[in-house]
Amino acid sequence: MEETNSEISTVEAGSTLLLVDDDGPFVRRLGRAMESRGFTVDIAETVAEGLAKASATPPDYAVIDMRLGDGNGLDVIEAIRKVREDTRMIVLTGYGNIATAVNAVKLGAVDYLAKPADADEIFAALTRKPGERVESGVSRALRRPGPSARTPR
């Protein structure tokens, strides 16, 4: 059984977060989780809505889905970067590949996470210091010795 930390990390009061994802239930759940960590959250469910919100009020942080019903989340990253260079952005996607991840980072994303990513992974990616690595559940599981990891006697 994995240990859970009952203390939730938070950000500096007043930090704004734009969430752009067309999965309504997911983005609302994530929004509530990020509010509990101190963010002031704004939600957009389309590229057009994300572009409008980003230009009206450029956020401190952004979490953007790659594929949206009306276009590509990279357009939102590019638009945010044009109006605010210090926004920390991550990309979420269920359709990941190396070329897309590289492109997202070139446009200004600080990380690229495959769905399903939980609120803890997303928060860690948004708030990590430069040079720190975010450890995924998969890499933790690979390190945990199990019955098959034992050497025969």
Side-chain angles (χ1 to χ4, degrees):
M1 185 169 177
E2 195 172 313
E3 274 185 45
T4 56
N5 185 355
S6 60
E7 207 174 292
I8 296 177
S9 299
T10 59
V11 293
E12 184 178 317
S15 294
T16 57
L17 172 64
L18 176 62
L19 301 176
V20 184
D21 197 305
D22 56 0
D23 180 346
F26 167 76
V27 77
R28 286 187 290 280
R29 224 176 19 257
L30 180 59
R32 285 190 302 275
M34 292 298 133
E35 285 172 344
S36 75
R37 288 165 172 80
F39 286 107
T40 299
V41 175
D42 199 2
I43 293 173
E45 293 189 30
T46 64
V47 170
E49 192 179 0
L51 292 171
K53 289 184 178 202
S55 63
T57 312
D60 298 316
Y61 299 86
V63 177
I64 302 163
D65 188 13
M66 178 66 69
R67 288 192 187 175
L68 297 153
D70 66 334
N72 192 322
L74 293 179
D75 295 337
V76 179
I77 290 175
E78 200 168 16
I80 290 172
R81 189 55 72 218
K82 284 180 183 176
V83 295
R84 184 165 180 183
E85 290 187 16
D86 66 337
T87 297
R88 292 189 55 85
M89 297 178 278
I90 63 167
V91 173
L92 295 179
T93 188
Y95 310 94
N97 67 48
I98 298 295
T100 307
V102 168
N103 197 23
V105 170
K106 282 182 179 178
L107 289 172
V110 296
D111 210 338
Y112 185 93
L113 300 176
K115 285 184 174 179
D118 68 24
D120 290 334
E121 291 172 307
I122 293 167
F123 182 81
L126 283 172
T127 60
R128 79 171 196 273
K129 293 178 178 76
E132 279 184 337
R133 297 243 339 127
V134 175
E135 185 178 27
S136 71
V138 172
S139 61
R140 279 192 306 271
L142 290 173
R143 270 202 345 251
R144 190 176 308 131
S148 62
R150 294 188 186 123
T151 55
R153 294 181 183 214

